[in-house]
């Protein structure tokens, strides 16, 4: 019989003869990969206007008033370019670092602006576009507060709400094949199946973003993961209207709903599942040999020693 | 941040895939008979069964789950738009994930605690088992903490993985993911790159034909018992064994 330690030595010896040529292969692969880095970002060749449309217009206007985020007309006069670049890269980091202006914005809008993976050059192009378009634009005319309040107070159409709920849960699929909202989002509502918790909880999003803001956010999906998920699968006008109505309804009912422990239930279900698996495997293996096939030989050798 | 993301989600995947391909082909050509795992159950019959089965069935199902969402994202989205199917699949995969964790931990303890298995354990065995352990813990964490992963995998991860294969990497979505998910992706690519250097190569040569192969019958044409009983001196034939 071969000595196991001899096998072991043989293995390590072969491993060491493998490595030099393989190492060359790995280096080549790394170099090839390095070449691909830098050819990055979907926005690389686009003009400031195009980038603005894709990345910013969902939440910001230039001179047409506040949407989800502030109106950006004249923003370059209010803040330094340096600050703007930092904020656009990661507003959250800036807020955490204790920047006063960033904190004030966070408190006013109650959400972080999502991080944008744009280069300095691309951000400068966007800022130039805002400056160009913003000069001459009249000072922002926010909708009269009364009109906004009236829009919010209007009860959404129950049919719309039902359609929105079905779309949210996936009972009705999005016309262009996009995933339903509950893949990543949850709302607190007893009638709705627990949604995902990868992305933000949407129970109170209606008042946070406003009707118009919500519409433009759903339409343009300015968050990176959402952008990819709905790439080429934009929602239709009808779907957006229904979803906004549903979210408005959810917010109204929010206070009367009970919190749920979906995670705990899933964990318990998993533990139960493992117990079932253990049962199945034990049954399947009940006739297996409990002893090694060469146990007899082994015993005999011990005896004859 | 941008640079780190590029290295982790563009550089690393290509390096890992290249290493896997070059390494696996090289290892097969250089030492083809060693493309396997060194068996550790040489004289063992009882204890290994349940944990090895839990681990292997678990990892097969979990791997298949990822593979299906990767290969057929549209069908996965359509199938999971029904909440009952979505939750059932999530629970099934989570169950098998737990099975992997239990099996792997038990097998790892066995590997470390038994001196007989220590002899046939290489450093790489330990490294890859620790990596798998980290990977499965992260996976379970994602399943619970960032749920409906089976659903958003199809709409966010699948496009990313396809963009890697199509040599046009799009990393906007993955760079925006929480750190746990990023770590799970990075871990996956590290493991893929390490397959050729570890016992994981055995999955490339899984003996599927064993499933359909008839039993092998081993027949001696002399009286085994009489010859081999050590209490009796052998007379007719010299024993071949011991």
């Amino acid at each position: 019989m071969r000595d196991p330690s001899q096998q072991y030595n043989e293995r390590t010896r072969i491993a060491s003869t493998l490595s030099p040529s393989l190492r060359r292969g790995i280096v080549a692969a790394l170099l090839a990969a390095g070449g691909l880095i830098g050819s990055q970002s979907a926005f690389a060749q686009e003009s400031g206007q195009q980038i603005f449309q894709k990345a910013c217009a969902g939440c910001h206007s230039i001179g047409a008033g506040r949407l989800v985020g502030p109106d950006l007309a004249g923003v370059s006069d209010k803040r330094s370019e340096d600050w703007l670049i930092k904020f656009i890269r990661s507003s959250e980091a800036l807020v955490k670092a204790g920047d006063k202006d960033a904190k004030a914005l966070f408190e006013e809008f109650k959400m972080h602006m999502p991080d944008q993976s744009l280069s300095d050059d691309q951000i400068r192009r966007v800022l130039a576009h805002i400056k160009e378009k913003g000069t001459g634009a009249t000072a922002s005319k926010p909708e009269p507060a009364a009109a906004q309040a009236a829009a919010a107070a209007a009860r959404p159409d129950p049919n719309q709400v039902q359609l929105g709920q079905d779309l949210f849960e996936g009972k009705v699929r999005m016309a262009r094949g996009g995933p339903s909202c509950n893949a990543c989002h949850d709302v607190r509502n007893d009638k709705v199946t627990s949604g995902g918790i990868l992305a933000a909880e949407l129970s109170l999003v209606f008042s946070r973003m406003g009707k118009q803001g919500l519409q433009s956010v759903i339409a343009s999906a300015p968050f990176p993961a959402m952008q990819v998920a709905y790439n080429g699968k934009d929602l239709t006008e009808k779907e957006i209207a229904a979803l906004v109505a549903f979210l408005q309804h959810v917010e109204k009912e929010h206070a009367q709903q009970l919190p749920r422990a979906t995670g705990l239930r899933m964990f318990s279900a998993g533990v139960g599942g493992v117990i079932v698996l253990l049962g199945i495997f034990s049954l399947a293996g009940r006739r297996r040999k409990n002893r090694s096939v060469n146990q007899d030989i082994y015993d005999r050798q011990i005896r004859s020693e | 941040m941008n640079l780190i993301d590029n290295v982790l989600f563009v550089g690393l995947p290509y390096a890992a895939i290249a290493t896997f391909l070059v390494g696996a082909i090289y290892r097969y050509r250089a030492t083809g008979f060693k493309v396997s795992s060194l068996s550790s159950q040489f004289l063992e019959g009882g204890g290994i069964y349940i944990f090895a089965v839990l681990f292997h069935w678990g990892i097969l199902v979990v791997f298949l789950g990822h593979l299906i969402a990767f290969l057929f994202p549209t069908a996965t989205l359509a199938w999971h738009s029904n909440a009952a199917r979505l939750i059932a699949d999530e629970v099934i995969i989570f169950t098998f994930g737990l099975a992997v964790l239990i099996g792997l931990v038990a097998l790892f303890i066995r590997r470390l605690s038994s001196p007989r298995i220590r002899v046939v354990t290489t450093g790489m065995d330990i490294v890859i088992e620790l990596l798998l352990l980290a990977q499965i813990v992260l996976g379970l964490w994602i399943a619970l903490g960032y749920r409906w992963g089976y659903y958003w995998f199809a709409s966010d991860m699948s496009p990313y993985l396809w963009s890697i294969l199509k040599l046009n990497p799009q990393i906007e979505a993955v760079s925006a993911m929480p750190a746990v998910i990023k770590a799970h992706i990075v871990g996956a690519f590290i493991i893929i790159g390490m397959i050729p250097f570890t016992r994981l190569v055995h999955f490339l040569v899984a003996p599927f034909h064993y499933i359909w192969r008839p039993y092998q019958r081993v027949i001696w044409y002399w009286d085994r018992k009489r010859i081999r009983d050590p209490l009796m001196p052998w007379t007719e034939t010299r024993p071949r064994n011991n």
Side-chain angles (χ1 to χ4, degrees):
Chain A
M1 196 196 90
R2 268 169 69 184
D3 174 16
S5 65
Q6 185 194 333
Q7 275 183 345
Y8 172 78
N9 287 338
E10 211 171 302
R11 270 187 122 211
T12 42
R13 202 174 60 236
I14 280 165
S16 61
T17 53
L18 273 179
S19 43
S21 52
L22 277 180
R23 213 175 294 149
R24 248 172 280 136
I26 297 168
V27 169
L30 280 172
L31 284 178
L36 283 155
I37 301 174
S39 66
Q40 253 312 295
S41 184
F43 301 120
Q45 300 304 322
E46 290 169 305
S47 72
Q49 186 184 2
Q50 283 168 315
I51 302 172
F52 183 87
Q53 279 308 325
K54 269 195 193 163
C56 321
C59 305
H60 299 283
S61 75
I62 308 175
R66 169 180 167 163
L67 289 171
V68 177
D71 186 340
L72 294 180
V75 71
S76 300
D77 306 330
K78 280 187 224 155
R79 313 259 187 259
S80 71
E81 184 178 282
D82 221 31
W83 186 92
L84 283 169
I85 288 176
K86 268 192 218 157
F87 188 87
I88 292 169
R89 277 278 163 63
S90 176
S91 66
E92 197 174 344
L94 210 55
V95 173
K96 275 188 188 148
D99 184 278
K100 251 191 212 159
D101 293 331
K103 265 188 169 170
L105 280 170
F106 176 61
E107 272 152 31
E108 187 182 346
F109 290 91
K110 297 184 184 63
M111 64 180 288
H112 291 295
M113 184 174 114
D115 297 356
Q116 304 294 324
S117 53
L118 298 167
S119 71
D120 285 6
D121 184 47
Q122 287 163 339
I123 294 177
R124 281 196 197 97
R125 265 185 269 160
V126 174
L127 292 177
H129 167 70
I130 295 172
K131 207 169 190 177
E132 191 188 322
K133 212 183 156 199
T135 45
T138 46
S140 63
K141 282 183 285 180
E143 266 183 60
Q148 257 189 354
R155 282 185 69 85
D157 172 15
N159 290 332
Q160 286 276 73
V161 172
Q162 187 57 49
L163 176 62
Q165 181 181 336
D166 291 348
L167 287 167
F168 190 92
E169 287 184 282
K171 278 182 192 155
V172 174
R173 293 219 57 201
M174 304 290 180
R176 296 188 186 132
S180 54
C181 316
N182 73 346
C184 304
H185 295 285
D186 197 12
V187 289
R188 191 199 271 194
N189 192 303
D190 297 344
K191 288 196 197 101
V192 183
T193 321
S194 288
I197 47 177
L198 177 68
E201 214 272 352
L202 298 181
S203 300
L204 298 175
V205 75
F206 185 81
S207 58
R208 201 165 65 223
M209 292 189 173
K211 194 168 185 175
Q212 275 195 336
L214 252 186
Q215 277 166 350
S216 76
V217 161
I218 298 176
S220 65
F223 309 97
M226 219 165 141
Q227 189 106 64
V228 171
Y230 291 95
N231 186 17
K233 301 167 182 168
D234 301 351
L235 302 187
T236 61
E237 295 276 324
K238 205 177 124 198
E239 286 166 348
I240 294 172
L243 285 169
V244 171
F246 168 66
L247 289 171
Q248 184 179 3
H249 169 78
V250 162
E251 178 164 315
K252 247 184 209 149
E253 289 204 334
H254 172 257
Q256 296 126 34
Q257 313 296 320
L258 294 167
R260 283 177 294 203
T262 310
L264 187 67
R265 278 161 69 186
M266 186 162 154
F267 182 76
S268 323
V271 171
V274 168
I275 293 169
V276 172
L277 270 188
L278 277 172
I280 293 173
F281 291 146
S282 307
L283 266 181
R286 72 192 184 284
R287 286 177 61 203
R288 73 185 187 277
K289 279 178 104 66
N290 279 318
R291 294 143 46 88
S292 155
V293 279
N294 31 22
Q295 190 69 40
D296 290 341
I297 303 169
Y298 191 68
D299 290 345
R300 224 168 25 238
Q301 254 175 349
I302 303 269
R303 237 189 302 158
S304 56
E305 262 169 14
Chain B
M1 202 58 199
N2 221 334
L3 180 69
I4 297 172
D5 284 342
N6 273 322
V7 170
L8 291 182
F9 302 123
V10 183
L12 176 67
Y14 284 114
I17 294 168
T19 313
F20 167 70
L21 289 176
V22 173
I25 292 170
Y26 184 88
R27 180 162 173 185
Y28 191 78
R29 290 171 64 101
T31 54
F33 284 116
K34 300 234 164 198
V35 177
S36 176
S37 303
L38 197 55
S39 171
S40 63
Q41 47 129 38
F42 189 53
L43 290 170
E44 185 171 334
I48 190 177
Y49 168 78
I50 195 72
F51 295 119
V53 169
L54 274 180
F55 171 74
H56 280 98
W57 279 107
I59 208 157
L60 271 178
V61 171
V62 170
F63 178 70
L64 267 181
H66 285 72
L67 196 67
I68 289 170
F70 160 56
L71 291 179
F72 312 108
T74 322
T76 307
L77 283 185
W79 178 256
H80 287 139
S81 59
N82 176 316
R85 292 195 290 241
L86 172 66
I87 292 172
D89 284 358
E90 285 276 345
V91 167
I92 289 170
I93 302 238
F94 183 72
T95 296
F96 280 91
L98 272 183
V100 175
L101 180 67
I102 294 168
L104 189 57
V105 167
L107 292 176
F108 194 53
I109 291 172
R110 165 179 170 272
R111 185 171 284 281
L112 291 183
S113 59
S114 155
R116 183 175 60 70
I117 303 168
R118 282 305 285 271
V119 173
V120 290
T121 298
T122 62
M124 265 315 202
D125 290 345
I126 305 279
V127 171
I128 200 71
E129 281 180 17
L130 285 177
L131 264 174
L132 282 176
L133 199 59
Q135 194 67 356
I136 190 66
V137 169
L138 288 171
L140 292 172
W141 184 349
I142 291 169
L144 283 183
Y146 301 94
R147 72 169 172 258
W148 308 136
Y150 210 157
Y151 209 157
W152 55 251
F153 185 104
S155 54
D156 274 333
M157 287 301 138
S158 196
Y160 160 66
L161 294 173
W162 279 109
S163 78
I164 293 280
L165 284 192
K166 288 176 182 162
L167 304 180
N168 178 24
Q170 303 293 332
I171 62 165
E172 276 80 14
V174 281
S175 348
M177 289 288 166
V180 180
I181 298 176
K182 284 183 173 177
H184 192 68
I185 300 169
V186 169
F189 281 116
I190 292 177
I191 291 173
I192 288 176
M194 284 177 61
I195 287 173
F197 314 102
T198 60
R199 58 191 298 119
L200 284 189
V201 280
H202 76 272
F203 101 86
L204 296 176
V205 289
F208 287 118
H209 61 279
Y210 276 30
I211 301 172
W212 296 280
R213 189 193 69 177
Y215 288 116
Q216 279 184 341
R217 302 186 68 193
V218 180
I219 300 170
W220 278 266
Y221 55 90
W222 64 80
D223 184 350
R224 256 172 90 218
K225 278 213 176 111
R226 198 157 72 87
I227 293 164
R228 284 175 152 204
D229 190 340
L231 300 178
M232 235 196 307
W234 56 272
T235 49
E236 304 155 33
T237 324
R238 190 187 172 80
R240 307 286 172 89
N241 205 339
N242 69 11

